[in-house]
Amino acid sequence: MRKKGTKILLGVLVLLVVSALITFAFAQDMDQLEKDTADAAFEASDKGQPDPSWQGKKFTVAVLASGPHGAISGPLYFWRPYWEQLTGATYDIAEIPFGELQAKIFTDLATETGNYDVIVGPSFFYGDYIANDWIIPIDKYFDDPRMPKWDRDGIAAPIRKLHQWGGKWYGFNNDHDGMVIYFRKDLFNDPKWQEEFKNEFNYDLPTRPDSWQEILDLAKFFNGKDWNGDGKEDFGISMHLKVGEQGFFNYIALAGGFVVMPAPGDDSAKVTRYYNQFWFDPETMKPLINTPGHVRAMEMLVELCKYGPAAMVGWGLGEAWDLFLRGDCAMVFTFGDIGTSSQDTRISVIKGKLGVVPIPGSSEVYNLETNEWVELDEPNLVANESGASWHGVITKYAEEPDMIAHFLSWQATPEINHWNVAWGWTGVDPGTVYDFLEPVGQAKIEDYTTTGYNEDDVREFLDAYNTMWFGYPHSIPYLRIAGAADYIESLDIHMSEALTGQATPQGALDRTAQDWENITEELGREEQKALYWDAIGYSGE
Protein backbone atom coordinates (compact mmCIF):
# COMPACT_ATOMS: atom_id res chain seq x y z
CA MET A 1 0.00 0.00 0.00
CA ARG A 2 2.86 2.36 0.88
CA LYS A 3 4.58 1.79 -2.52
CA LYS A 4 1.28 2.34 -4.33
CA GLY A 5 0.73 5.62 -2.46
CA THR A 6 4.26 6.76 -3.28
CA LYS A 7 3.71 6.01 -6.98
CA ILE A 8 0.46 8.01 -6.97
CA LEU A 9 2.20 10.94 -5.27
CA LEU A 10 5.05 10.85 -7.78
CA GLY A 11 2.55 10.69 -10.62
CA VAL A 12 0.73 13.75 -9.33
CA LEU A 13 4.02 15.62 -8.95
CA VAL A 14 5.05 14.73 -12.50
CA LEU A 15 1.69 15.96 -13.83
CA LEU A 16 2.02 19.22 -11.90
CA VAL A 17 5.55 19.79 -13.23
CA VAL A 18 4.50 19.00 -16.81
CA SER A 19 1.46 21.27 -16.46
CA ALA A 20 3.63 24.07 -15.09
CA LEU A 21 6.12 23.66 -17.94
CA ILE A 22 3.34 23.73 -20.53
CA THR A 23 1.87 26.85 -18.91
CA PHE A 24 5.32 28.46 -18.80
CA ALA A 25 5.98 27.57 -22.43
CA PHE A 26 2.54 28.91 -23.43
CA ALA A 27 3.23 32.15 -21.57
CA GLN A 28 6.63 32.43 -23.25
CA ASP A 29 5.02 31.87 -26.65
CA MET A 30 2.37 34.52 -25.95
CA ASP A 31 5.00 36.99 -24.74
CA GLN A 32 6.95 36.47 -27.95
CA LEU A 33 3.78 36.74 -30.05
CA GLU A 34 2.85 39.93 -28.20
CA LYS A 35 6.27 41.42 -28.95
CA ASP A 36 6.28 40.29 -32.58
CA THR A 37 2.85 41.80 -33.29
CA ALA A 38 3.77 45.00 -31.43
CA ASP A 39 6.98 45.31 -33.45
CA ALA A 40 4.94 44.89 -36.64
CA ALA A 41 2.42 47.53 -35.50
CA PHE A 42 5.28 49.89 -34.65
CA GLU A 43 6.86 49.43 -38.07
CA ALA A 44 3.54 49.94 -39.87
CA SER A 45 2.43 53.00 -37.89
CA ASP A 46 2.92 56.52 -39.15
CA LYS A 47 5.64 58.13 -37.04
CA GLY A 48 5.55 61.70 -38.30
CA GLN A 49 8.81 63.63 -38.19
CA PRO A 50 9.89 63.88 -34.54
CA ASP A 51 11.60 67.21 -33.73
CA PRO A 52 15.28 66.61 -32.83
CA SER A 53 14.96 69.25 -30.10
CA TRP A 54 12.75 66.84 -28.10
CA GLN A 55 15.66 64.51 -27.35
CA GLY A 56 16.36 64.20 -23.64
CA LYS A 57 13.10 65.91 -22.61
CA LYS A 58 10.35 64.43 -20.44
CA PHE A 59 6.69 64.93 -19.52
CA THR A 60 4.31 63.36 -17.00
CA VAL A 61 1.05 61.48 -17.69
CA ALA A 62 -1.71 61.18 -15.09
CA VAL A 63 -3.71 57.97 -15.59
CA LEU A 64 -6.04 55.49 -13.89
CA ALA A 65 -4.06 53.25 -11.51
CA SER A 66 -4.04 49.71 -12.88
CA GLY A 67 -0.34 48.85 -12.95
CA PRO A 68 2.22 48.11 -15.68
CA HIS A 69 0.11 45.36 -17.24
CA GLY A 70 -3.33 46.64 -16.31
CA ALA A 71 -6.16 48.41 -18.09
CA ILE A 72 -5.46 51.91 -19.51
CA SER A 73 -2.20 52.47 -17.58
CA GLY A 74 -0.62 49.27 -19.00
CA PRO A 75 -0.26 50.48 -22.61
CA LEU A 76 1.64 53.56 -21.41
CA TYR A 77 4.29 51.31 -19.86
CA PHE A 78 4.28 48.90 -22.80
CA TRP A 79 4.84 51.49 -25.55
CA ARG A 80 7.26 53.77 -23.67
CA PRO A 81 10.48 52.08 -24.95
CA TYR A 82 9.20 52.29 -28.54
CA TRP A 83 8.48 56.03 -28.26
CA GLU A 84 11.82 56.65 -26.55
CA GLN A 85 13.51 54.89 -29.46
CA LEU A 86 11.52 57.01 -31.89
CA THR A 87 12.06 60.45 -30.34
CA GLY A 88 14.83 60.29 -27.75
CA ALA A 89 12.34 61.72 -25.25
CA THR A 90 10.48 59.94 -22.43
CA TYR A 91 7.68 60.33 -19.89
CA ASP A 92 6.79 59.53 -16.30
CA ILE A 93 3.53 57.74 -15.44
CA ALA A 94 1.53 58.95 -12.43
CA GLU A 95 -1.08 56.32 -11.49
CA ILE A 96 -4.13 57.58 -9.57
CA PRO A 97 -6.94 55.37 -8.11
CA PHE A 98 -10.39 55.93 -9.66
CA GLY A 99 -11.85 57.47 -6.51
CA GLU A 100 -9.01 60.03 -6.24
CA LEU A 101 -8.83 61.11 -9.88
CA GLN A 102 -11.02 64.19 -9.63
CA ALA A 103 -9.45 65.55 -6.44
CA LYS A 104 -5.82 65.07 -7.48
CA ILE A 105 -6.13 66.22 -11.07
CA PHE A 106 -8.45 69.17 -10.45
CA THR A 107 -6.33 70.37 -7.51
CA ASP A 108 -3.21 70.23 -9.67
CA LEU A 109 -4.91 72.20 -12.44
CA ALA A 110 -6.68 74.71 -10.18
CA THR A 111 -3.49 75.54 -8.30
CA GLU A 112 -1.50 75.68 -11.56
CA THR A 113 1.01 73.32 -9.94
CA GLY A 114 1.64 71.53 -13.22
CA ASN A 115 2.51 68.07 -11.91
CA TYR A 116 0.63 66.54 -14.83
CA ASP A 117 1.24 67.55 -18.48
CA VAL A 118 -1.13 64.98 -19.93
CA ILE A 119 -4.29 63.47 -18.49
CA VAL A 120 -5.46 60.12 -19.82
CA GLY A 121 -8.74 60.56 -17.99
CA PRO A 122 -12.49 60.05 -18.16
CA SER A 123 -14.65 61.95 -20.62
CA PHE A 124 -16.91 63.32 -17.87
CA PHE A 125 -14.12 65.75 -16.86
CA TYR A 126 -14.66 67.87 -19.99
CA GLY A 127 -17.13 70.34 -18.47
CA ASP A 128 -14.58 71.30 -15.83
CA TYR A 129 -11.73 71.29 -18.35
CA ILE A 130 -13.58 73.73 -20.64
CA ALA A 131 -15.18 75.92 -17.97
CA ASN A 132 -11.78 76.51 -16.38
CA ASP A 133 -9.76 76.65 -19.60
CA TRP A 134 -7.47 73.85 -18.37
CA ILE A 135 -6.74 72.01 -21.64
CA ILE A 136 -5.67 73.07 -25.13
CA PRO A 137 -7.34 72.43 -28.51
CA ILE A 138 -5.37 70.17 -30.82
CA ASP A 139 -6.65 71.07 -34.30
CA LYS A 140 -3.40 72.87 -35.16
CA TYR A 141 -1.55 69.54 -35.02
CA PHE A 142 -3.61 67.77 -37.67
CA ASP A 143 -1.60 69.29 -40.57
CA ASP A 144 1.69 69.52 -38.67
CA PRO A 145 4.19 67.30 -40.58
CA ARG A 146 5.89 66.38 -37.30
CA MET A 147 2.75 64.57 -36.12
CA PRO A 148 1.72 60.95 -36.93
CA LYS A 149 -1.59 60.80 -38.81
CA TRP A 150 -4.64 59.20 -37.21
CA ASP A 151 -8.13 58.47 -38.52
CA ARG A 152 -10.63 60.82 -36.89
CA ASP A 153 -13.48 59.97 -39.28
CA GLY A 154 -13.15 56.26 -38.47
CA ILE A 155 -14.18 56.74 -34.83
CA ALA A 156 -17.83 55.89 -34.01
CA ALA A 157 -19.85 59.13 -33.93
CA PRO A 158 -20.99 58.91 -30.25
CA ILE A 159 -17.35 58.53 -29.16
CA ARG A 160 -15.99 61.09 -31.63
CA LYS A 161 -18.23 63.73 -30.04
CA LEU A 162 -16.56 63.14 -26.69
CA HIS A 163 -13.22 64.40 -28.05
CA GLN A 164 -14.63 67.74 -29.21
CA TRP A 165 -16.15 70.88 -27.77
CA GLY A 166 -17.47 73.98 -29.51
CA GLY A 167 -16.28 72.75 -32.91
CA LYS A 168 -12.70 72.16 -31.73
CA TRP A 169 -10.86 68.92 -31.00
CA TYR A 170 -9.31 68.47 -27.56
CA GLY A 171 -8.93 64.68 -27.20
CA PHE A 172 -6.85 62.03 -28.96
CA ASN A 173 -8.43 58.71 -29.92
CA ASN A 174 -7.83 55.81 -27.49
CA ASP A 175 -10.58 53.89 -25.66
CA HIS A 176 -14.27 53.42 -26.57
CA ASP A 177 -16.52 52.51 -23.65
CA GLY A 178 -20.11 51.34 -23.79
CA MET A 179 -22.18 48.71 -22.00
CA VAL A 180 -23.71 45.57 -23.54
CA ILE A 181 -25.13 42.22 -22.37
CA TYR A 182 -22.92 39.12 -22.42
CA PHE A 183 -24.65 35.75 -22.08
CA ARG A 184 -24.06 32.00 -22.19
CA LYS A 185 -24.91 31.08 -25.78
CA ASP A 186 -24.85 27.35 -24.98
CA LEU A 187 -27.63 27.83 -22.41
CA PHE A 188 -29.79 30.07 -24.55
CA ASN A 189 -29.59 27.61 -27.48
CA ASP A 190 -30.21 24.46 -25.42
CA PRO A 191 -33.60 22.88 -26.46
CA LYS A 192 -34.16 21.72 -22.85
CA TRP A 193 -34.04 25.27 -21.48
CA GLN A 194 -35.92 26.66 -24.46
CA GLU A 195 -38.82 24.26 -23.82
CA GLU A 196 -38.92 25.01 -20.07
CA PHE A 197 -38.75 28.78 -20.71
CA LYS A 198 -41.70 28.62 -23.11
CA ASN A 199 -43.73 26.60 -20.64
CA GLU A 200 -43.03 29.16 -17.90
CA PHE A 201 -43.31 32.46 -19.84
CA ASN A 202 -45.57 31.43 -22.73
CA TYR A 203 -43.27 32.72 -25.46
CA ASP A 204 -40.07 31.48 -27.14
CA LEU A 205 -36.82 31.97 -25.25
CA PRO A 206 -35.27 35.07 -26.87
CA THR A 207 -31.86 33.86 -28.03
CA ARG A 208 -30.98 37.45 -29.04
CA PRO A 209 -32.80 39.56 -26.40
CA ASP A 210 -33.30 43.19 -27.40
CA SER A 211 -35.49 44.58 -24.59
CA TRP A 212 -35.03 44.94 -20.85
CA GLN A 213 -38.34 43.21 -20.34
CA GLU A 214 -36.87 40.10 -22.04
CA ILE A 215 -33.61 40.41 -20.07
CA LEU A 216 -35.64 40.45 -16.86
CA ASP A 217 -37.52 37.27 -17.84
CA LEU A 218 -34.24 35.53 -18.74
CA ALA A 219 -32.64 36.57 -15.45
CA LYS A 220 -35.67 35.22 -13.55
CA PHE A 221 -35.63 31.97 -15.50
CA PHE A 222 -31.94 31.07 -15.13
CA ASN A 223 -31.60 32.27 -11.54
CA GLY A 224 -31.74 29.59 -8.82
CA LYS A 225 -31.26 26.61 -11.15
CA ASP A 226 -28.20 24.34 -11.16
CA TRP A 227 -27.69 24.55 -14.91
CA ASN A 228 -23.91 23.94 -14.79
CA GLY A 229 -24.25 20.71 -12.78
CA ASP A 230 -21.94 21.61 -9.89
CA GLY A 231 -24.58 20.89 -7.25
CA LYS A 232 -25.15 24.58 -6.48
CA GLU A 233 -27.80 27.03 -7.60
CA ASP A 234 -26.56 29.39 -10.30
CA PHE A 235 -27.45 33.02 -10.98
CA GLY A 236 -29.36 34.91 -13.66
CA ILE A 237 -27.37 38.14 -14.00
CA SER A 238 -24.26 39.78 -12.59
CA MET A 239 -23.50 43.51 -12.23
CA HIS A 240 -20.95 45.73 -10.49
CA LEU A 241 -22.93 48.06 -8.23
CA LYS A 242 -20.60 49.19 -5.44
CA VAL A 243 -20.65 52.91 -4.68
CA GLY A 244 -17.50 54.53 -6.03
CA GLU A 245 -16.76 51.61 -8.40
CA GLN A 246 -18.53 52.72 -11.60
CA GLY A 247 -21.83 50.98 -10.73
CA PHE A 248 -23.77 54.10 -11.76
CA PHE A 249 -22.80 53.40 -15.38
CA ASN A 250 -25.12 50.35 -15.25
CA TYR A 251 -28.07 52.58 -14.42
CA ILE A 252 -27.26 55.18 -17.08
CA ALA A 253 -26.95 52.55 -19.82
CA LEU A 254 -30.17 50.80 -18.77
CA ALA A 255 -32.19 54.02 -18.48
CA GLY A 256 -31.59 55.24 -22.05
CA GLY A 257 -34.40 53.21 -23.60
CA PHE A 258 -36.92 54.43 -20.99
CA VAL A 259 -35.91 58.11 -21.05
CA VAL A 260 -34.50 59.18 -24.43
CA MET A 261 -37.51 59.85 -26.67
CA PRO A 262 -36.72 60.20 -30.40
CA ALA A 263 -37.77 63.51 -31.94
CA PRO A 264 -40.85 63.57 -34.20
CA GLY A 265 -40.36 64.48 -37.85
CA ASP A 266 -37.68 63.67 -40.39
CA ASP A 267 -34.73 63.95 -38.01
CA SER A 268 -35.43 61.70 -35.03
CA ALA A 269 -31.96 62.41 -33.59
CA LYS A 270 -32.52 66.18 -33.35
CA VAL A 271 -31.95 67.53 -29.83
CA THR A 272 -34.92 69.62 -28.71
CA ARG A 273 -36.18 70.67 -25.30
CA TYR A 274 -38.16 67.45 -24.85
CA TYR A 275 -36.60 64.95 -27.25
CA ASN A 276 -33.23 63.18 -27.08
CA GLN A 277 -32.84 64.51 -23.53
CA PHE A 278 -31.66 62.57 -20.47
CA TRP A 279 -30.14 64.80 -17.75
CA PHE A 280 -31.73 68.27 -17.50
CA ASP A 281 -34.44 70.44 -18.98
CA PRO A 282 -32.13 72.58 -21.12
CA GLU A 283 -34.30 75.69 -20.66
CA THR A 284 -34.37 75.63 -16.86
CA MET A 285 -31.59 73.20 -15.86
CA LYS A 286 -34.20 71.45 -13.73
CA PRO A 287 -33.09 67.81 -13.27
CA LEU A 288 -34.95 65.13 -15.21
CA ILE A 289 -33.50 62.40 -13.01
CA ASN A 290 -36.72 61.94 -10.98
CA THR A 291 -39.16 62.06 -13.92
CA PRO A 292 -41.26 58.95 -14.71
CA GLY A 293 -38.89 57.51 -17.34
CA HIS A 294 -35.99 57.50 -14.88
CA VAL A 295 -38.15 56.10 -12.07
CA ARG A 296 -39.35 53.22 -14.28
CA ALA A 297 -35.72 52.50 -15.26
CA MET A 298 -34.61 52.44 -11.61
CA GLU A 299 -37.50 50.09 -10.83
CA MET A 300 -36.21 47.77 -13.58
CA LEU A 301 -32.68 47.85 -12.13
CA VAL A 302 -34.00 47.08 -8.64
CA GLU A 303 -36.02 44.17 -10.04
CA LEU A 304 -33.05 42.78 -11.99
CA CYS A 305 -30.95 42.81 -8.83
CA LYS A 306 -33.23 40.15 -7.34
CA TYR A 307 -31.90 37.63 -9.84
CA GLY A 308 -28.21 37.87 -9.07
CA PRO A 309 -26.17 37.53 -5.86
CA ALA A 310 -27.27 39.88 -3.07
CA ALA A 311 -23.59 40.78 -2.67
CA MET A 312 -23.64 42.57 -6.04
CA VAL A 313 -24.44 45.87 -4.33
CA GLY A 314 -20.93 45.70 -2.86
CA TRP A 315 -19.14 44.43 -5.95
CA GLY A 316 -16.64 46.18 -8.16
CA LEU A 317 -15.87 45.16 -11.72
CA GLY A 318 -13.68 42.18 -10.82
CA GLU A 319 -16.25 40.35 -8.69
CA ALA A 320 -19.06 40.87 -11.21
CA TRP A 321 -16.95 39.64 -14.09
CA ASP A 322 -15.53 36.68 -12.18
CA LEU A 323 -18.97 35.16 -11.45
CA PHE A 324 -19.75 35.05 -15.17
CA LEU A 325 -16.29 33.94 -16.28
CA ARG A 326 -16.17 30.97 -13.92
CA GLY A 327 -19.48 29.73 -15.29
CA ASP A 328 -21.91 30.43 -12.44
CA CYS A 329 -24.04 33.15 -14.04
CA ALA A 330 -26.10 33.23 -17.25
CA MET A 331 -25.56 36.94 -18.10
CA VAL A 332 -23.33 39.87 -17.16
CA PHE A 333 -24.10 43.52 -17.88
CA THR A 334 -20.88 45.48 -18.37
CA PHE A 335 -18.19 47.09 -20.57
CA GLY A 336 -16.14 45.68 -23.47
CA ASP A 337 -13.56 44.00 -21.26
CA ILE A 338 -15.50 40.72 -21.01
CA GLY A 339 -15.01 40.15 -24.73
CA THR A 340 -11.32 39.82 -24.03
CA SER A 341 -11.18 38.31 -20.56
CA SER A 342 -13.59 35.51 -21.57
CA GLN A 343 -10.86 34.23 -23.89
CA ASP A 344 -8.26 33.87 -21.13
CA THR A 345 -8.57 30.25 -20.00
CA ARG A 346 -6.64 31.03 -16.82
CA ILE A 347 -9.69 32.93 -15.54
CA SER A 348 -12.52 31.83 -17.84
CA VAL A 349 -14.35 28.55 -18.48
CA ILE A 350 -16.68 30.03 -21.10
CA LYS A 351 -14.36 30.43 -24.09
CA GLY A 352 -16.32 29.23 -27.13
CA LYS A 353 -19.68 29.78 -25.38
CA LEU A 354 -19.89 33.58 -25.48
CA GLY A 355 -22.99 35.37 -26.71
CA VAL A 356 -23.19 39.17 -26.86
CA VAL A 357 -26.02 41.57 -27.74
CA PRO A 358 -25.87 45.36 -27.91
CA ILE A 359 -27.58 47.30 -25.15
CA PRO A 360 -31.30 46.33 -25.01
CA GLY A 361 -34.07 48.87 -25.42
CA SER A 362 -37.44 49.36 -23.75
CA SER A 363 -40.93 48.64 -25.06
CA GLU A 364 -42.13 51.82 -23.33
CA VAL A 365 -40.63 55.32 -23.25
CA TYR A 366 -41.79 58.47 -21.43
CA ASN A 367 -42.63 61.53 -23.51
CA LEU A 368 -41.53 64.67 -21.64
CA GLU A 369 -43.59 66.96 -23.86
CA THR A 370 -46.95 65.19 -23.45
CA ASN A 371 -46.16 63.72 -20.02
CA GLU A 372 -47.39 60.34 -21.19
CA TRP A 373 -45.98 56.86 -21.58
CA VAL A 374 -45.65 55.64 -25.15
CA GLU A 375 -46.00 51.92 -25.85
CA LEU A 376 -43.86 50.68 -28.76
CA ASP A 377 -44.11 47.72 -31.13
CA GLU A 378 -40.28 47.57 -31.29
CA PRO A 379 -37.94 48.37 -28.38
CA ASN A 380 -36.58 51.92 -28.15
CA LEU A 381 -32.89 51.25 -28.87
CA VAL A 382 -30.56 53.92 -27.47
CA ALA A 383 -26.77 53.54 -27.62
CA ASN A 384 -24.70 54.43 -24.59
CA GLU A 385 -21.18 55.77 -24.18
CA SER A 386 -21.54 54.66 -20.57
CA GLY A 387 -18.04 54.54 -19.16
CA ALA A 388 -14.98 56.73 -19.08
CA SER A 389 -13.71 56.26 -22.67
CA TRP A 390 -10.25 57.05 -21.33
CA HIS A 391 -8.21 59.26 -23.65
CA GLY A 392 -5.46 61.84 -23.56
CA VAL A 393 -5.74 65.63 -23.34
CA ILE A 394 -2.91 68.17 -22.98
CA THR A 395 -3.03 70.66 -20.12
CA LYS A 396 -2.38 74.38 -20.71
CA TYR A 397 0.49 74.13 -18.21
CA ALA A 398 2.46 71.59 -20.25
CA GLU A 399 5.90 72.94 -21.19
CA GLU A 400 6.28 70.77 -24.31
CA PRO A 401 2.77 70.47 -25.81
CA ASP A 402 4.08 69.73 -29.32
CA MET A 403 6.16 66.81 -28.09
CA ILE A 404 3.20 65.48 -26.13
CA ALA A 405 0.93 65.86 -29.17
CA HIS A 406 3.35 63.65 -31.09
CA PHE A 407 3.09 60.88 -28.48
CA LEU A 408 -0.71 61.00 -28.26
CA SER A 409 -1.08 61.20 -32.06
CA TRP A 410 1.17 58.16 -32.45
CA GLN A 411 -0.85 56.22 -29.88
CA ALA A 412 -4.00 57.16 -31.86
CA THR A 413 -2.70 55.83 -35.19
CA PRO A 414 -4.79 52.90 -36.48
CA GLU A 415 -1.93 50.41 -36.10
CA ILE A 416 -1.10 51.18 -32.47
CA ASN A 417 -4.68 51.79 -31.35
CA HIS A 418 -5.93 48.60 -33.02
CA TRP A 419 -3.08 46.58 -31.47
CA ASN A 420 -4.26 47.82 -28.07
CA VAL A 421 -7.82 46.74 -28.86
CA ALA A 422 -6.78 43.29 -30.11
CA TRP A 423 -4.63 42.65 -27.02
CA GLY A 424 -7.46 43.33 -24.62
CA TRP A 425 -5.44 43.34 -21.37
CA THR A 426 -4.85 46.98 -22.27
CA GLY A 427 -8.46 47.90 -21.35
CA VAL A 428 -8.78 49.68 -24.71
CA ASP A 429 -12.16 48.69 -26.17
CA PRO A 430 -13.27 48.66 -29.85
CA GLY A 431 -14.93 51.68 -31.44
CA THR A 432 -13.37 52.44 -34.83
CA VAL A 433 -13.91 51.08 -38.33
CA TYR A 434 -10.48 49.43 -38.21
CA ASP A 435 -11.50 47.44 -35.11
CA PHE A 436 -14.57 45.87 -36.73
CA LEU A 437 -14.45 42.97 -39.16
CA GLU A 438 -14.69 43.10 -42.92
CA PRO A 439 -16.87 43.86 -44.84
CA VAL A 440 -18.53 46.41 -42.49
CA GLY A 441 -15.16 47.30 -40.96
CA GLN A 442 -11.53 46.97 -41.95
CA ALA A 443 -10.17 44.37 -39.48
CA LYS A 444 -9.39 40.78 -40.39
CA ILE A 445 -10.43 37.87 -38.19
CA GLU A 446 -6.75 36.90 -37.93
CA ASP A 447 -6.07 40.18 -36.08
CA TYR A 448 -7.93 38.59 -33.19
CA THR A 449 -7.56 34.81 -33.57
CA THR A 450 -3.78 35.24 -33.70
CA THR A 451 -3.90 36.54 -30.14
CA GLY A 452 -5.98 33.56 -28.97
CA TYR A 453 -9.60 34.56 -29.55
CA ASN A 454 -12.22 31.93 -30.42
CA GLU A 455 -13.52 32.99 -33.83
CA ASP A 456 -17.22 32.70 -32.97
CA ASP A 457 -16.75 34.57 -29.70
CA VAL A 458 -14.94 37.50 -31.27
CA ARG A 459 -17.54 37.78 -34.02
CA GLU A 460 -20.29 37.97 -31.36
CA PHE A 461 -18.32 40.58 -29.43
CA LEU A 462 -17.46 42.83 -32.36
CA ASP A 463 -20.86 42.55 -34.04
CA ALA A 464 -22.60 43.72 -30.84
CA TYR A 465 -20.40 46.80 -30.50
CA ASN A 466 -20.45 47.58 -34.20
CA THR A 467 -24.26 47.46 -34.16
CA MET A 468 -24.51 49.72 -31.12
CA TRP A 469 -21.92 52.25 -32.30
CA PHE A 470 -22.90 52.43 -35.97
CA GLY A 471 -26.41 50.95 -36.21
CA TYR A 472 -28.39 52.43 -33.31
CA PRO A 473 -30.37 55.52 -34.34
CA HIS A 474 -30.04 57.39 -31.02
CA SER A 475 -27.63 57.76 -28.13
CA ILE A 476 -27.69 58.97 -24.54
CA PRO A 477 -26.10 62.44 -24.37
CA TYR A 478 -22.93 62.19 -22.29
CA LEU A 479 -22.84 64.39 -19.15
CA ARG A 480 -19.94 66.80 -19.72
CA ILE A 481 -20.78 69.93 -17.71
CA ALA A 482 -18.78 71.35 -14.82
CA GLY A 483 -19.22 69.26 -11.69
CA ALA A 484 -20.19 66.16 -13.69
CA ALA A 485 -18.32 63.96 -11.23
CA ASP A 486 -20.34 65.49 -8.35
CA TYR A 487 -23.68 64.97 -10.08
CA ILE A 488 -22.70 61.36 -10.83
CA GLU A 489 -21.49 60.73 -7.29
CA SER A 490 -24.91 61.79 -5.96
CA LEU A 491 -26.64 59.40 -8.38
CA ASP A 492 -24.23 56.64 -7.36
CA ILE A 493 -25.00 57.04 -3.64
CA HIS A 494 -28.78 57.31 -3.96
CA MET A 495 -28.94 54.48 -6.52
CA SER A 496 -27.40 52.26 -3.87
CA GLU A 497 -30.12 53.32 -1.43
CA ALA A 498 -32.74 52.07 -3.89
CA LEU A 499 -30.88 48.80 -4.56
CA THR A 500 -30.48 48.04 -0.86
CA GLY A 501 -34.10 48.89 0.04
CA GLN A 502 -33.22 52.00 2.04
CA ALA A 503 -35.36 54.09 -0.31
CA THR A 504 -37.93 53.55 -3.03
CA PRO A 505 -36.78 54.24 -6.59
CA GLN A 506 -38.84 57.44 -6.60
CA GLY A 507 -37.50 58.47 -3.19
CA ALA A 508 -33.87 57.78 -4.16
CA LEU A 509 -34.18 59.77 -7.37
CA ASP A 510 -35.97 62.65 -5.61
CA ARG A 511 -32.95 62.91 -3.29
CA THR A 512 -30.66 62.83 -6.31
CA ALA A 513 -32.65 65.62 -7.96
CA GLN A 514 -32.38 67.78 -4.84
CA ASP A 515 -28.61 67.25 -4.74
CA TRP A 516 -28.37 68.19 -8.41
CA GLU A 517 -30.32 71.39 -7.82
CA ASN A 518 -27.90 72.31 -5.04
CA ILE A 519 -24.85 71.59 -7.22
CA THR A 520 -26.30 73.64 -10.07
CA GLU A 521 -27.03 76.58 -7.75
CA GLU A 522 -23.52 76.41 -6.33
CA LEU A 523 -21.85 76.36 -9.74
CA GLY A 524 -24.21 78.93 -11.28
CA ARG A 525 -27.39 78.02 -13.13
CA GLU A 526 -26.80 80.22 -16.14
CA GLU A 527 -23.16 79.14 -16.46
CA GLN A 528 -24.19 75.48 -16.25
CA LYS A 529 -26.97 76.04 -18.75
CA ALA A 530 -24.53 77.48 -21.29
CA LEU A 531 -22.18 74.52 -20.85
CA TYR A 532 -25.04 72.04 -21.10
CA TRP A 533 -26.27 73.53 -24.39
CA ASP A 534 -22.75 73.27 -25.83
CA ALA A 535 -22.24 69.76 -24.47
CA ILE A 536 -25.42 68.24 -25.93
CA GLY A 537 -25.72 70.36 -29.08
CA TYR A 538 -28.95 72.15 -28.11
CA SER A 539 -29.63 75.45 -29.86
CA GLY A 540 -32.87 76.51 -28.15
CA GLU A 541 -35.09 75.42 -31.02
Side-chain angles (χ1 to χ4, degrees), residues 287 289-290 487 490 494 507-521 525:
I289 194 67
N290 58 343
Y487 290 108
S490 166
H494 295 305
L509 293 177
D510 284 345
R511 295 180 194 181
T512 309
Q514 185 56 58
D515 286 350
W516 288 18
E517 283 281 68
N518 295 339
I519 295 168
T520 301
E521 283 297 318
R525 189 169 297 271

Side-chain angles (χ1 to χ4, degrees), residues 228-307:
N228 65 9
D230 64 356
K232 302 175 184 175
E233 292 185 349
D234 300 306
F235 297 99
I237 194 164
S238 179
M239 293 178 277
H240 44 88
L241 299 169
K242 183 180 181 180
V243 174
E245 294 288 345
Q246 306 187 54
F248 55 87
F249 284 131
N250 291 92
Y251 170 73
I252 295 169
L254 182 153
F258 294 87
V259 176
V260 178
M261 179 83 182
D266 295 335
D267 183 7
S268 65
K270 183 178 180 180
V271 178
T272 73
R273 179 176 182 180
Y274 300 110
Y275 298 97
N276 293 297
Q277 292 291 351
F278 188 84
W279 303 98
F280 296 94
D281 180 333
E283 293 293 336
T284 64
M285 286 304 287
K286 182 180 179 182
L288 300 176
I289 194 67
N290 58 343
T291 52
H294 278 286
V295 174
R296 189 70 58 88
M298 187 63 78
E299 290 170 347
M300 173 61 77
L301 185 62
V302 170
E303 186 69 10
L304 272 176
C305 280
K306 296 176 182 176
Y307 306 105

Side-chain angles (χ1 to χ4, degrees), residues 78 84 195 240 262 272 314 323 525:
F78 183 86
E84 290 173 343
E195 181 180 353
H240 44 88
T272 73
L323 185 74
R525 189 169 297 271

